[in-house]
Each structure stands twice: as C-alpha cells, then as structure tokens.
C-alpha cells in the first residue's frame, strides 16, 4: 500500500492545456474513483501517475518518493486497461505470469503465484485457455490477475469495464470491490460512468475541463454538489435546474413569471438575485392541480423503470423530471402540479456555477482534498 500525492500537476500538448494545476491526496489503501466526461483530463492524470505521460509541471509523489523522472516499471504501479491488452498466442497462465518471467522469477515461484492469483480472480479452470476462448469478463479478470501477480503498491484502472455489457459490468464492479477489500491496495479507477463511480469509490474526484470540481465521498458529493456541473453530472436522472431570481423579500423564487414559495432562510440571503435553482427528480413531488404554491406543468413523456417511472414534464418550455414509484400517474399530455420542498433545493450562482450556500462546506471540501 502507498499514499499518492499530486501537487500542482499540469499537462499541456503544445499550447493546449488539458490538466490545470491539480492538487490531490490519496490515502494508503483507499479506493479512489476519478469521474468526468470525455476530454476532462481524467485518463491523462492516471497515465501521468503511471508514468505513461510526461508531466508538464508539478510533482507526483508515491510512497513519499517523487516519481516524475522514474520509469513506469519503477513506480510500483500496475495498470488495468480498457482493451485488456492480452497476448493472443499465450494462454491465461502465460499472460498472467509474463511479467514475472521477464523479471527472472524462478519457474516454481512463478507457478505458485499464478495459481494463487488465478484463485483470487476465479480463473483456476481457465489457465490453459487462450484469450480468444474467453468471454469479455474473463479476459478482464486475466488483465486484473496480471496486475495482481506483480504485488504492486498501487492499482490503476483506466475505464476497465467500458467494453463489457450492462449485466457483466455490474458483476465486475462487485468483483473489483471484493478484490480491493481482500488486497487493501491503493487503487485509482477512472470512469465516465457515474453509477460505477458511486458504487466503487471510497473517495470520489469529479473533474471537468482539466480541473478538479469536487472531492469527497459519493454521498457527500451527491447530497452537496459544489458546482452546477457536479449537480448535473452526478445522479440519474440528472438534477433539474430552473434559472430565475428571488423576489425582493426573498420569499419566492420567480421562474419565467411563476412564483415558487421557498423557505425564508433560503431566499432572504439572496433576495433580488438571479440564481439557478436545482432539485433532484426524486425530491420533487406531484400534488393535485391547483394546490397553492405548486408549479403547473404538462407531462411530456414517461420512462418506465420497473420499480418506478420517471415523468418528464414541461414547465413553460423547460424540461423537468420527477421520479415516482406510482405507475398510475403521469399520462402524456396530462396537466400536473409540482411542489419543490425547500429542504431539497440547491442554489448555484448564475455567473460562476458555484454553490451559493457553501459556507463551512467549502472548507470541508478543501480538507477532503488534502
């Protein structure tokens, strides 16, 4: 196990900067997930940790040693890639033990470690098979076994589940979490899938356009998104946003001429200000049409999810989703009314996108990143 510190790390390709002064600290034994959309710099950051990309400036420190100038093989990291990268002419045993063979490990020791690793990843019956004879999930297990057998200080995962079907991805998430519990190695996992991130992470790092937007536990980030981007990216279906302003007395949020009553403690600090109001679909409530203080809307379409449904409604041309467990409500074209409970409302600056009620939360987020 090893601690990883990333201090003011930047990466640029010519004049094109892709990672902008990232500062992070991953504790020994943590399972860290770096989450963000394509092009946000998450895989580039992972590859810089591994030594596969040069650092433009800053320092990466693994186990109290600056590794900027070290070759990948000398950093104590093992990496699992998206495309498996297996040798097609070698069987499972040879693929997993190849690094040991190159390192000159005696055959008897190699065989012992191959057998132990195969047991850990559930491939004991497949050691003589070639990659072409394996399923996608089995190939990914071989790739993980090849990393485990080196007994690294740090495991790095670069979107390893992206090529698997939905059912297999769920199974592999469970296996990866169990594997981490067994090995207790520091792990850094990169993904664009927020469900993967929420289910796997001890610590979650959300990136956007080369910057770290927020660091925290999955629930902290879900319940208290630091920016509008984080609120929109974490959660399925995504957080609803209404752009408007508070009334002069702070008792109403005005959206497109519709007054929405809010708790005074929420509105008065921002009286008269233009803000973005966010609320998650599971927190909005459908109430009888005409209920005082409700927001009128019309059902646009409905997503059936088995255990519930997501009703997509239209509020004066803006889409607004509501997650419900009642399968009888929400017919297309039906007029409905919505309530937005003040305790579930999130406020963001219309100019910067930053959360407006950060207060002590800002300091707590900084402490989590350190």
């Amino acid at each position: 196990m090893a601690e990883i510190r990333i201090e003011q790390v930047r990466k640029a390709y010519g004049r094109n900067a892709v990672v902008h002064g990232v500062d992070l600290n991953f504790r020994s034994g943590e399972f860290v997930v770096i989450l963000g959309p394509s092009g946000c710099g998450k895989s580039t950051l992972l590859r810089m940790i591994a030594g596969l990309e040069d650092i433009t400036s800053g320092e990466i420190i693994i186990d109290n040693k600056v590794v900027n100038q070290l070759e990948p093989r000398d950093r104590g990291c093992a990496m699992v890639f998206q495309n498996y990268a297996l040798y097609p002419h070698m069987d499972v045993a040879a693929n997993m033990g190849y690094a040991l063979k190159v390192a000159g490990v005696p055959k008897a020791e190699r065989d012992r470690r191959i057998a132990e690793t195969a047991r850990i990843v559930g491939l004991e019956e497949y050691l003589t098979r070639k990659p072409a004879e394996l399923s996608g999930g089995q190939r990914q297990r071989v790739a993980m076994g090849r990393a485990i057998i080196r007994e690294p200080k740090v495991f790095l995962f670069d979107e390893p589940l992206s090529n698997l079907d939905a059912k297999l991805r769920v199974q592999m998430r469970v296996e990866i979490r169990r594997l981490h519990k067994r090995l207790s190695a520091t792990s850094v996992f990169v993904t664009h899938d927020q469900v993967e991130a929420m289910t796997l992470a001890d610590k979650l790092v959300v990136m956007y356009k080369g910057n770290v937007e927020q660091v925290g536990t999955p629930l902290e980030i879900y319940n208290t998104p630091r920016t509008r981007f984080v609120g929109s990216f974490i959660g399925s279906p995504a957080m609803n946003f209404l752009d408007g302003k508070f009334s002069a007395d702070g008792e109403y949020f005005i959206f497109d001429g519709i007054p929405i009553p809010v708790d005074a403690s929420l509105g008065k600090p921002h009286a008269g200000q233009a803000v973005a109001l966010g609320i998650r679909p599971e927190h909005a409530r459908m109430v009888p049409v005409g209920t005082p203080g409700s927001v009128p809307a019309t059902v646009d379409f409905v997503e059936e999810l088995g255990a519930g449904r997501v009703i997509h409604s239209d509020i004066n041309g803006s889409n607004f989703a509501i997650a419900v467990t009642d399968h009888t409500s929400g017919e297309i074209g039906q007029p409905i009314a919505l309530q937005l409970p003040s305790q579930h409302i999130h406020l963001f600056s219309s100019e910067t996108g930053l959360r407006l009620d950060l207060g002590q939360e800002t300091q707590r987020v900084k402490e989590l990143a350190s």
Side-chain angles (χ1 to χ4, degrees):
M1 296 188 291
E3 182 184 59
I4 302 173
R5 298 204 311 274
I6 299 170
E7 299 181 351
Q8 277 299 296
V9 166
R10 301 175 185 272
K11 177 64 180 179
Y13 298 99
R15 295 183 178 180
N16 182 28
V18 294
V19 176
H20 310 283
V22 168
D23 287 293
L24 291 168
N25 182 21
F26 305 152
R27 297 186 181 94
S28 181
E30 271 190 322
F31 197 112
V32 179
V33 177
I34 303 176
L35 172 69
S38 297
C40 72
K42 58 189 185 296
S43 288
T44 301
L45 183 60
L46 191 79
R47 291 172 65 84
M48 287 192 287
I49 295 171
L52 302 177
E53 291 275 1
D54 292 331
I55 300 169
T56 302
S57 64
E59 288 186 338
I60 292 179
I61 302 159
I62 300 176
D63 202 14
N64 294 317
K65 181 188 293 184
V66 177
V67 299
N68 291 27
Q69 303 304 320
L70 292 184
E71 293 295 322
R73 64 177 177 271
D74 299 323
R75 298 189 178 202
C77 301
M79 194 158 180
V80 180
F81 295 92
Q82 178 179 344
N83 62 357
Y84 318 136
L86 304 179
Y87 296 107
H89 62 288
M90 295 182 183
D91 62 20
V92 169
N95 265 288
M96 287 200 296
Y98 184 71
L100 302 183
K101 182 178 180 180
V102 170
V105 175
K107 187 175 187 307
E109 175 64 11
R110 287 206 313 269
D111 290 345
R112 184 193 69 79
R113 287 169 65 175
I114 288 169
E116 173 63 16
T117 302
R119 184 186 65 78
I120 291 172
V121 297
L123 290 173
E124 296 159 289
E125 300 177 7
Y126 301 92
L127 288 173
T128 59
R129 294 194 187 183
K130 301 286 180 64
E133 302 173 271
L134 303 175
S135 69
Q138 290 165 343
R139 292 179 198 175
Q140 195 55 273
R141 286 197 194 97
V142 177
M144 288 192 291
R146 184 176 55 191
I148 292 166
I149 204 168
R150 294 174 53 195
E151 299 176 351
K153 298 175 182 176
V154 175
F155 284 103
L156 305 175
F157 297 88
D158 189 8
E159 303 204 44
L161 309 184
S162 295
N163 292 334
L164 306 181
D165 62 53
K167 183 178 180 180
L168 195 52
R169 287 176 76 140
V170 173
Q171 294 174 351
M172 289 301 296
R173 287 205 303 265
V174 173
E175 290 187 24
I176 288 173
R177 207 63 181 90
R178 285 175 178 163
L179 185 63
H180 177 260
K181 185 177 180 181
R182 179 181 297 185
L183 300 176
S184 297
T186 307
S187 301
V188 184
F189 187 105
V190 160
T191 183
H192 62 271
D193 185 322
Q194 52 105 356
V195 175
E196 276 180 17
M198 294 288 288
T199 54
L200 286 172
D202 296 324
K203 175 182 286 183
L204 181 55
V205 178
V206 183
M207 290 189 67
Y208 183 53
K209 294 184 177 180
N211 294 296
V212 172
E213 291 280 302
Q214 190 169 355
V215 181
T217 67
L219 280 180
E220 284 170 334
I221 290 178
Y222 185 83
N223 291 328
T224 318
R226 184 175 176 271
T227 67
R228 178 170 177 164
F229 168 77
V230 174
S232 65
F233 196 73
I234 300 290
S236 181
M239 181 180 283
N240 297 298
F241 290 98
L242 300 175
D243 291 292
K245 64 182 297 184
F246 281 105
S247 59
D249 58 10
E251 295 183 0
Y252 293 90
F253 176 79
I254 312 298
F255 169 70
D256 200 23
I258 302 171
I260 303 171
V262 295
D263 189 270
S265 63
L266 188 72
K268 286 189 176 179
H270 310 291
Q273 293 181 20
V275 300
L277 181 151
I279 188 166
R280 295 201 178 277
E282 63 269 28
H283 292 148
R285 294 204 300 258
M286 291 179 61
V287 294
V289 174
T291 298
S294 64
V295 181
T298 305
V299 176
D300 193 9
F301 67 97
V302 177
E303 288 183 279
E304 294 290 357
L305 303 177
R309 55 172 31 181
V310 177
I311 299 171
H312 293 267
S313 67
D314 180 278
I315 304 176
N316 287 6
S318 294
N319 183 62
F320 192 100
I322 314 101
V324 298
T325 56
D326 180 5
H327 291 268
T328 62
S329 61
E331 300 304 319
I332 295 175
Q334 173 188 349
I336 57 175
L338 307 174
Q339 275 188 345
L340 312 183
S342 290
Q343 68 270 29
H344 294 302
I345 285 175
H346 306 263
L347 298 178
F348 303 91
S349 167
S350 295
E351 296 180 359
T352 66
L354 287 171
R355 189 180 187 87
L356 289 176
D357 54 338
L358 283 173
Q360 295 179 347
E361 181 68 19
T362 301
Q363 182 61 32
R364 190 157 64 88
V365 167
K366 289 180 180 178
E367 290 171 355
L368 283 166
S370 63

